[in-house]
Amino acid sequence: MDEVFRALADPNRRRLLDSLNARNGQRLRELCDCLAMARQSVSKHLAVLEQANLVTTVRRGREKLHYLNAAPINAIAERWMGQYGRRRAEALADLKRALESAPMSEPAFAYTTFIRTTPEQLWQALTDPAFTRRYWGVAFETDWRPGSPMVWEENGRRTADPEQVVLESEPYRRLSYTWHTPTPEWAAAAGIDDDLLATLVAESRSKVTFEIEPLGQTVKLTVIHDDFPDGSTMRQMVSTGWPHLLSDLKTLLETGETLPPVPDEAWQS
């Protein structure tokens, strides 16, 4: 947390975070334009933000895209908001909401966390039905080969669709698949009304990617949920659910505790 507070102390770095909060997934050139600073100076500020885990970078071909990461802000809120009165915590709460909330036109959601585990154990946690049920309440029926179909099973409800497929599968390094189909059965169980279901069905299908990188005794996990249309309702829903789910995943891997699944309401806020 010391690194996070030091990173936030500089007004230029806060401006970079504000810029990414307004439009995530920017290139270095775009961020330079935001600050009207030399490329080398902006790169140094971004390096500090990356070191503090406030910014996550993702390579797309030759491009390096920068994303705001809400994980450290969640950690600050969890540690400090419970120790002080509501008025003293309001500033942190506002900051947390600002950094976790993205405009409706935001095309991607990115989240990075560090887990004391191994790439093999994390891969198992992402793919083994017995494991995913413990923290997610969902099991995946698939052979995890690129192009293979996926069936989402949750509380006895099975969601199958030809477009629910594995996109990439590189064990212990990278996993990607298309997001589930919003069906009437799923909507009824999640308490989603007909109007909201119709909105979700009308949207193009998104995808989620897990990038796994070993770092000493920990593993860096980056989750990128993208391919949303502008103004996506699904994007707004998952941006609330993912931090909760990944926090449960981290706790389970590090402590072995059995955690309740992420409630459907967390994906609807």
Side-chain angles (χ1 to χ4, degrees), residues 75 179 183 186 191 219 231 240 251 266:
W179 198 237
T183 63
W186 168 79
V219 176
T240 305
T251 301

Side-chain angles (χ1 to χ4, degrees), residues 81-221:
M81 288 181 68
Q83 297 185 33
Y84 295 95
R86 180 177 299 274
R87 291 183 180 179
R88 294 186 178 184
E90 282 179 353
L92 286 175
D94 290 343
L95 176 61
K96 177 177 181 289
R97 283 192 294 270
L99 291 179
E100 286 190 347
S101 301
M104 291 299 291
S105 61
E106 178 55 46
F109 173 84
Y111 195 100
T112 297
T113 187
F114 295 83
I115 306 174
R116 290 193 304 273
T117 188
T118 65
E120 293 79 9
Q121 290 173 329
L122 181 52
W123 182 267
Q124 180 185 16
L126 295 173
T127 59
D128 186 341
F131 214 125
T132 57
R133 281 196 182 96
R134 296 181 67 187
Y135 66 92
W136 197 338
V138 174
F140 302 105
E141 298 176 15
T142 182
D143 59 14
W144 295 113
R145 295 178 182 177
S148 292
M150 296 179 64
V151 176
W152 292 52
E153 186 273 322
E154 183 177 9
N155 296 326
R157 301 185 306 273
R158 299 174 78 255
T159 303
D161 189 279
E163 295 186 13
Q164 281 180 193
V165 296
V166 179
L167 299 173
E168 299 178 65
S169 183
E170 191 174 350
Y172 321 131
R173 294 186 60 184
R174 185 178 175 89
L175 178 66
S176 181
Y177 49 81
T178 57
W179 198 237
H180 71 80
T181 305
T183 63
E185 294 77 15
W186 168 79
I192 292 175
D193 61 34
D194 291 343
D195 289 341
L196 178 54
L197 175 61
T199 299
L200 295 173
V201 170
E203 292 187 5
S204 56
R205 189 183 300 270
S206 60
K207 75 174 190 296
V208 61
T209 301
F210 302 88
E211 297 183 348
I212 300 171
E213 179 183 351
L215 292 173
Q217 295 182 342
T218 66
V219 176
K220 177 183 178 183
L221 173 63

